[in-house]
Amino acid sequence: MKFGARIFKTGIAIVLAIFLANLLPGPTMITSIAGVAAMVAMQPSVYRSFKTIVEQFQGNVIGAITAVTIFSIFGNHVVFIGLTAIIIISILYKFNLQHVSNLAVVTALIILGHHEGDFYISAFYRFVLVMIGVLSAFIVNFTFLPPKFETKMYYNSLNISTDIFKWFRLVLNGTTEFHYVKQDLENIRTRIVKLEQFYLYYKEERAYTKKQSFAQMRKKILFKEIIAATRRAYEVLRKMNRYENDIHNLNDDIKVQIKFELDELMAQHEQILVRISQNAKHEVDQVPDYLVEPYKEDLIKIFIKDITDNPNQEDYYIENVMQVLSAMLDYKATILHLEKLSSSYFKYHPDDSEIKIEDEDFDL
């Protein structure tokens, strides 16, 4: 069993919320309300935590005011408690705050629940407990184990790409089973979706100074292209798996050229990832293509020549092969763009080009 940083932070936020709640005068038996609010308010990024404070405050104010109003007019009969929830959710949808409706309704239910003494004082006290929980979640997320998005995105991209490259070699050698590749493709797709979600969290983060903002913007562009390259590699593998029979029925010359092309793209992709982790120099002397791979030819030209020389062949569908080659061209264009971006980033911004990639010490 593995525990991520967010699980530990949630537990710490609950402890902090209940501790702060116990410092307030009032019944200690309901201080757990603050812990519940802290758990609900915990977010995957610092920016979202800050945004949550504002939005949860608005939602909880609406929930509290609605609950107090309904109680003052109708009392806290179970029917009117249900009506209160409906009204709160409707108001939050009106103000585009539906994503905070859960805690807002919880706040209303807590206020309308059993209480002793003056209702309005009790309602205010319970509202404060909820906000203590929200604030505790932000404090913990900001100060304790802040999310390492650059590290997560880098190692996710590296690990996913490595798995894709493994399948590239096996598929081209004809040593795979269609259903095994298809099963792993679904797993890889899920991991890429998770990777893209990490980037969305990272994209939302804000810098504290103008200089940091510029540096962060450049890093966001670079990581966006890293993830795009991973997605393009996946698309190539998906097309190769889908049209596996067509690829295997190509003549040997074209299959060899596909292998040359993919070998070159994989080498470029791996080299870029190593350079981004700053484990290799960023300026690499370009070696002429005829020295790197003297037998490599233009893949599209050799394919066009084959279908021109054999217009009546029935070994493969031209349209299917073209989809594979098109995916490879997209992948190549993305790799070339990524190479330019990474070289430019480290060449022209040496003073603020630090990318925080730490050791891989968490579950990816």
Side-chain angles (χ1 to χ4, degrees), residues 18 39 81 111 119 189 214 241 270 281 294 311 337 339:
I18 295 176
M39 181 184 68
I81 292 177
I111 290 173
F119 168 77
R189 187 196 66 80
F214 286 136
N241 177 248
E270 288 174 334
K281 62 180 182 179
H337 189 214
E339 187 167 22

mmCIF file with all atom_site columns, all heavy atoms in Angstrom, residues 18 39 81 111 119 189 214 241 270 281 294 311 337 339:
data_model
loop_
_atom_site.group_PDB
_atom_site.id
_atom_site.type_symbol
_atom_site.label_atom_id
_atom_site.label_alt_id
_atom_site.label_comp_id
_atom_site.label_asym_id
_atom_site.label_entity_id
_atom_site.label_seq_id
_atom_site.pdbx_PDB_ins_code
_atom_site.Cartn_x
_atom_site.Cartn_y
_atom_site.Cartn_z
_atom_site.occupancy
_atom_site.B_iso_or_equiv
_atom_site.pdbx_formal_charge
_atom_site.auth_seq_id
_atom_site.auth_comp_id
_atom_site.auth_asym_id
_atom_site.auth_atom_id
_atom_site.pdbx_PDB_model_num
ATOM 1   N N   . ILE A 1 18  ? -9.084  20.713 13.549  1.00 0.00 ? 18  ILE A N   1
ATOM 2   C CA  . ILE A 1 18  ? -9.705  20.362 14.833  1.00 0.00 ? 18  ILE A CA  1
ATOM 3   C C   . ILE A 1 18  ? -8.974  21.036 15.992  1.00 0.00 ? 18  ILE A C   1
ATOM 4   O O   . ILE A 1 18  ? -9.585  21.488 16.970  1.00 0.00 ? 18  ILE A O   1
ATOM 5   C CB  . ILE A 1 18  ? -9.733  18.832 15.007  1.00 0.00 ? 18  ILE A CB  1
ATOM 6   C CG1 . ILE A 1 18  ? -10.648 18.203 13.942  1.00 0.00 ? 18  ILE A CG1 1
ATOM 7   C CG2 . ILE A 1 18  ? -10.205 18.446 16.402  1.00 0.00 ? 18  ILE A CG2 1
ATOM 8   C CD1 . ILE A 1 18  ? -10.679 16.690 13.963  1.00 0.00 ? 18  ILE A CD1 1
ATOM 9   N N   . MET A 1 39  ? -11.144 18.226 4.981   1.00 0.00 ? 39  MET A N   1
ATOM 10  C CA  . MET A 1 39  ? -11.031 17.094 4.053   1.00 0.00 ? 39  MET A CA  1
ATOM 11  C C   . MET A 1 39  ? -11.660 17.433 2.704   1.00 0.00 ? 39  MET A C   1
ATOM 12  O O   . MET A 1 39  ? -11.088 17.154 1.651   1.00 0.00 ? 39  MET A O   1
ATOM 13  C CB  . MET A 1 39  ? -11.710 15.860 4.654   1.00 0.00 ? 39  MET A CB  1
ATOM 14  C CG  . MET A 1 39  ? -11.614 14.618 3.766   1.00 0.00 ? 39  MET A CG  1
ATOM 15  S SD  . MET A 1 39  ? -12.522 13.213 4.446   1.00 0.00 ? 39  MET A SD  1
ATOM 16  C CE  . MET A 1 39  ? -14.212 13.797 4.287   1.00 0.00 ? 39  MET A CE  1
ATOM 17  N N   . ILE A 1 81  ? -35.625 21.311 5.632   1.00 0.00 ? 81  ILE A N   1
ATOM 18  C CA  . ILE A 1 81  ? -34.184 21.085 5.474   1.00 0.00 ? 81  ILE A CA  1
ATOM 19  C C   . ILE A 1 81  ? -33.883 20.652 4.041   1.00 0.00 ? 81  ILE A C   1
ATOM 20  O O   . ILE A 1 81  ? -32.932 21.117 3.408   1.00 0.00 ? 81  ILE A O   1
ATOM 21  C CB  . ILE A 1 81  ? -33.692 20.033 6.484   1.00 0.00 ? 81  ILE A CB  1
ATOM 22  C CG1 . ILE A 1 81  ? -33.770 20.588 7.906   1.00 0.00 ? 81  ILE A CG1 1
ATOM 23  C CG2 . ILE A 1 81  ? -32.259 19.601 6.152   1.00 0.00 ? 81  ILE A CG2 1
ATOM 24  C CD1 . ILE A 1 81  ? -33.368 19.596 8.985   1.00 0.00 ? 81  ILE A CD1 1
ATOM 25  N N   . ILE A 1 111 ? -25.869 23.795 10.363  1.00 0.00 ? 111 ILE A N   1
ATOM 26  C CA  . ILE A 1 111 ? -26.540 24.917 11.030  1.00 0.00 ? 111 ILE A CA  1
ATOM 27  C C   . ILE A 1 111 ? -27.955 24.532 11.458  1.00 0.00 ? 111 ILE A C   1
ATOM 28  O O   . ILE A 1 111 ? -28.425 24.892 12.550  1.00 0.00 ? 111 ILE A O   1
ATOM 29  C CB  . ILE A 1 111 ? -26.569 26.153 10.105  1.00 0.00 ? 111 ILE A CB  1
ATOM 30  C CG1 . ILE A 1 111 ? -25.150 26.711 9.953   1.00 0.00 ? 111 ILE A CG1 1
ATOM 31  C CG2 . ILE A 1 111 ? -27.519 27.227 10.624  1.00 0.00 ? 111 ILE A CG2 1
ATOM 32  C CD1 . ILE A 1 111 ? -25.030 27.831 8.943   1.00 0.00 ? 111 ILE A CD1 1
ATOM 33  N N   . PHE A 1 119 ? -29.967 30.169 18.656  1.00 0.00 ? 119 PHE A N   1
ATOM 34  C CA  . PHE A 1 119 ? -29.760 29.574 17.336  1.00 0.00 ? 119 PHE A CA  1
ATOM 35  C C   . PHE A 1 119 ? -28.768 30.375 16.493  1.00 0.00 ? 119 PHE A C   1
ATOM 36  O O   . PHE A 1 119 ? -27.895 29.815 15.832  1.00 0.00 ? 119 PHE A O   1
ATOM 37  C CB  . PHE A 1 119 ? -31.097 29.463 16.602  1.00 0.00 ? 119 PHE A CB  1
ATOM 38  C CG  . PHE A 1 119 ? -30.945 29.119 15.136  1.00 0.00 ? 119 PHE A CG  1
ATOM 39  C CD1 . PHE A 1 119 ? -30.663 27.810 14.738  1.00 0.00 ? 119 PHE A CD1 1
ATOM 40  C CD2 . PHE A 1 119 ? -31.053 30.098 14.157  1.00 0.00 ? 119 PHE A CD2 1
ATOM 41  C CE1 . PHE A 1 119 ? -30.507 27.495 13.394  1.00 0.00 ? 119 PHE A CE1 1
ATOM 42  C CE2 . PHE A 1 119 ? -30.892 29.795 12.813  1.00 0.00 ? 119 PHE A CE2 1
ATOM 43  C CZ  . PHE A 1 119 ? -30.628 28.490 12.436  1.00 0.00 ? 119 PHE A CZ  1
ATOM 44  N N   . ARG A 1 189 ? -3.160  4.962  -22.257 1.00 0.00 ? 189 ARG A N   1
ATOM 45  C CA  . ARG A 1 189 ? -4.077  6.087  -22.484 1.00 0.00 ? 189 ARG A CA  1
ATOM 46  C C   . ARG A 1 189 ? -4.523  6.694  -21.161 1.00 0.00 ? 189 ARG A C   1
ATOM 47  O O   . ARG A 1 189 ? -4.566  7.929  -21.007 1.00 0.00 ? 189 ARG A O   1
ATOM 48  C CB  . ARG A 1 189 ? -5.303  5.613  -23.273 1.00 0.00 ? 189 ARG A CB  1
ATOM 49  C CG  . ARG A 1 189 ? -6.245  6.733  -23.706 1.00 0.00 ? 189 ARG A CG  1
ATOM 50  C CD  . ARG A 1 189 ? -7.596  6.191  -24.119 1.00 0.00 ? 189 ARG A CD  1
ATOM 51  N NE  . ARG A 1 189 ? -8.302  5.589  -22.998 1.00 0.00 ? 189 ARG A NE  1
ATOM 52  C CZ  . ARG A 1 189 ? -8.967  6.285  -22.087 1.00 0.00 ? 189 ARG A CZ  1
ATOM 53  N NH1 . ARG A 1 189 ? -9.031  7.618  -22.164 1.00 0.00 ? 189 ARG A NH1 1
ATOM 54  N NH2 . ARG A 1 189 ? -9.586  5.672  -21.093 1.00 0.00 ? 189 ARG A NH2 1
ATOM 55  N N   . PHE A 1 214 ? 7.563   35.089 -15.937 1.00 0.00 ? 214 PHE A N   1
ATOM 56  C CA  . PHE A 1 214 ? 8.083   34.856 -17.279 1.00 0.00 ? 214 PHE A CA  1
ATOM 57  C C   . PHE A 1 214 ? 8.743   33.483 -17.374 1.00 0.00 ? 214 PHE A C   1
ATOM 58  O O   . PHE A 1 214 ? 8.548   32.740 -18.335 1.00 0.00 ? 214 PHE A O   1
ATOM 59  C CB  . PHE A 1 214 ? 9.087   35.943 -17.664 1.00 0.00 ? 214 PHE A CB  1
ATOM 60  C CG  . PHE A 1 214 ? 8.436   37.256 -17.993 1.00 0.00 ? 214 PHE A CG  1
ATOM 61  C CD1 . PHE A 1 214 ? 8.965   38.448 -17.514 1.00 0.00 ? 214 PHE A CD1 1
ATOM 62  C CD2 . PHE A 1 214 ? 7.297   37.317 -18.778 1.00 0.00 ? 214 PHE A CD2 1
ATOM 63  C CE1 . PHE A 1 214 ? 8.370   39.662 -17.812 1.00 0.00 ? 214 PHE A CE1 1
ATOM 64  C CE2 . PHE A 1 214 ? 6.681   38.525 -19.081 1.00 0.00 ? 214 PHE A CE2 1
ATOM 65  C CZ  . PHE A 1 214 ? 7.223   39.701 -18.593 1.00 0.00 ? 214 PHE A CZ  1
ATOM 66  N N   . ASN A 1 241 ? -1.009  -0.698 -33.975 1.00 0.00 ? 241 ASN A N   1
ATOM 67  C CA  . ASN A 1 241 ? -1.717  -1.865 -33.461 1.00 0.00 ? 241 ASN A CA  1
ATOM 68  C C   . ASN A 1 241 ? -3.011  -2.117 -34.226 1.00 0.00 ? 241 ASN A C   1
ATOM 69  O O   . ASN A 1 241 ? -3.353  -3.255 -34.544 1.00 0.00 ? 241 ASN A O   1
ATOM 70  C CB  . ASN A 1 241 ? -2.010  -1.669 -31.972 1.00 0.00 ? 241 ASN A CB  1
ATOM 71  C CG  . ASN A 1 241 ? -2.814  -2.798 -31.366 1.00 0.00 ? 241 ASN A CG  1
ATOM 72  O OD1 . ASN A 1 241 ? -3.963  -2.630 -30.995 1.00 0.00 ? 241 ASN A OD1 1
ATOM 73  N ND2 . ASN A 1 241 ? -2.220  -3.979 -31.283 1.00 0.00 ? 241 ASN A ND2 1
ATOM 74  N N   . GLU A 1 270 ? 14.215  10.447 -26.483 1.00 0.00 ? 270 GLU A N   1
ATOM 75  C CA  . GLU A 1 270 ? 14.944  10.096 -25.260 1.00 0.00 ? 270 GLU A CA  1
ATOM 76  C C   . GLU A 1 270 ? 16.014  11.134 -24.945 1.00 0.00 ? 270 GLU A C   1
ATOM 77  O O   . GLU A 1 270 ? 16.204  11.520 -23.792 1.00 0.00 ? 270 GLU A O   1
ATOM 78  C CB  . GLU A 1 270 ? 15.577  8.714  -25.421 1.00 0.00 ? 270 GLU A CB  1
ATOM 79  C CG  . GLU A 1 270 ? 14.571  7.565  -25.394 1.00 0.00 ? 270 GLU A CG  1
ATOM 80  C CD  . GLU A 1 270 ? 15.206  6.224  -25.701 1.00 0.00 ? 270 GLU A CD  1
ATOM 81  O OE1 . GLU A 1 270 ? 16.253  6.209  -26.395 1.00 0.00 ? 270 GLU A OE1 1
ATOM 82  O OE2 . GLU A 1 270 ? 14.668  5.201  -25.255 1.00 0.00 ? 270 GLU A OE2 1
ATOM 83  N N   . LYS A 1 281 ? 24.307  17.671 -21.951 1.00 0.00 ? 281 LYS A N   1
ATOM 84  C CA  . LYS A 1 281 ? 24.470  19.031 -22.460 1.00 0.00 ? 281 LYS A CA  1
ATOM 85  C C   . LYS A 1 281 ? 23.356  19.360 -23.443 1.00 0.00 ? 281 LYS A C   1
ATOM 86  O O   . LYS A 1 281 ? 22.831  18.496 -24.146 1.00 0.00 ? 281 LYS A O   1
ATOM 87  C CB  . LYS A 1 281 ? 25.840  19.193 -23.119 1.00 0.00 ? 281 LYS A CB  1
ATOM 88  C CG  . LYS A 1 281 ? 26.096  18.311 -24.328 1.00 0.00 ? 281 LYS A CG  1
ATOM 89  C CD  . LYS A 1 281 ? 27.495  18.569 -24.879 1.00 0.00 ? 281 LYS A CD  1
ATOM 90  C CE  . LYS A 1 281 ? 27.767  17.732 -26.128 1.00 0.00 ? 281 LYS A CE  1
ATOM 91  N NZ  . LYS A 1 281 ? 29.101  17.988 -26.689 1.00 0.00 ? 281 LYS A NZ  1
ATOM 92  N N   . PRO A 1 294 ? 23.163  5.578  -42.859 1.00 0.00 ? 294 PRO A N   1
ATOM 93  C CA  . PRO A 1 294 ? 23.438  5.709  -44.305 1.00 0.00 ? 294 PRO A CA  1
ATOM 94  C C   . PRO A 1 294 ? 22.384  5.063  -45.194 1.00 0.00 ? 294 PRO A C   1
ATOM 95  O O   . PRO A 1 294 ? 22.287  5.409  -46.365 1.00 0.00 ? 294 PRO A O   1
ATOM 96  C CB  . PRO A 1 294 ? 24.798  5.033  -44.455 1.00 0.00 ? 294 PRO A CB  1
ATOM 97  C CG  . PRO A 1 294 ? 24.909  4.110  -43.280 1.00 0.00 ? 294 PRO A CG  1
ATOM 98  C CD  . PRO A 1 294 ? 24.183  4.801  -42.171 1.00 0.00 ? 294 PRO A CD  1
ATOM 99  N N   . PRO A 1 311 ? 0.252   -0.778 -58.517 1.00 0.00 ? 311 PRO A N   1
ATOM 100 C CA  . PRO A 1 311 ? -1.071  -0.168 -58.321 1.00 0.00 ? 311 PRO A CA  1
ATOM 101 C C   . PRO A 1 311 ? -2.173  -1.174 -58.034 1.00 0.00 ? 311 PRO A C   1
ATOM 102 O O   . PRO A 1 311 ? -3.204  -0.809 -57.472 1.00 0.00 ? 311 PRO A O   1
ATOM 103 C CB  . PRO A 1 311 ? -1.318  0.560  -59.647 1.00 0.00 ? 311 PRO A CB  1
ATOM 104 C CG  . PRO A 1 311 ? -0.498  -0.192 -60.641 1.00 0.00 ? 311 PRO A CG  1
ATOM 105 C CD  . PRO A 1 311 ? 0.728   -0.644 -59.909 1.00 0.00 ? 311 PRO A CD  1
ATOM 106 N N   . HIS A 1 337 ? 9.754   20.218 -32.954 1.00 0.00 ? 337 HIS A N   1
ATOM 107 C CA  . HIS A 1 337 ? 9.353   21.444 -32.257 1.00 0.00 ? 337 HIS A CA  1
ATOM 108 C C   . HIS A 1 337 ? 9.823   21.420 -30.811 1.00 0.00 ? 337 HIS A C   1
ATOM 109 O O   . HIS A 1 337 ? 10.305  22.436 -30.283 1.00 0.00 ? 337 HIS A O   1
ATOM 110 C CB  . HIS A 1 337 ? 7.833   21.588 -32.319 1.00 0.00 ? 337 HIS A CB  1
ATOM 111 C CG  . HIS A 1 337 ? 7.353   22.908 -31.813 1.00 0.00 ? 337 HIS A CG  1
ATOM 112 N ND1 . HIS A 1 337 ? 6.151   23.066 -31.138 1.00 0.00 ? 337 HIS A ND1 1
ATOM 113 C CD2 . HIS A 1 337 ? 7.911   24.148 -31.850 1.00 0.00 ? 337 HIS A CD2 1
ATOM 114 C CE1 . HIS A 1 337 ? 5.997   24.325 -30.807 1.00 0.00 ? 337 HIS A CE1 1
ATOM 115 N NE2 . HIS A 1 337 ? 7.043   25.011 -31.215 1.00 0.00 ? 337 HIS A NE2 1
ATOM 116 N N   . GLU A 1 339 ? 12.387  19.851 -29.641 1.00 0.00 ? 339 GLU A N   1
ATOM 117 C CA  . GLU A 1 339 ? 13.843  20.026 -29.629 1.00 0.00 ? 339 GLU A CA  1
ATOM 118 C C   . GLU A 1 339 ? 14.216  21.509 -29.742 1.00 0.00 ? 339 GLU A C   1
ATOM 119 O O   . GLU A 1 339 ? 15.106  21.988 -29.038 1.00 0.00 ? 339 GLU A O   1
ATOM 120 C CB  . GLU A 1 339 ? 14.470  19.230 -30.776 1.00 0.00 ? 339 GLU A CB  1
ATOM 121 C CG  . GLU A 1 339 ? 15.990  19.224 -30.742 1.00 0.00 ? 339 GLU A CG  1
ATOM 122 C CD  . GLU A 1 339 ? 16.584  18.188 -31.680 1.00 0.00 ? 339 GLU A CD  1
ATOM 123 O OE1 . GLU A 1 339 ? 15.890  17.787 -32.617 1.00 0.00 ? 339 GLU A OE1 1
ATOM 124 O OE2 . GLU A 1 339 ? 17.736  17.798 -31.459 1.00 0.00 ? 339 GLU A OE2 1
#
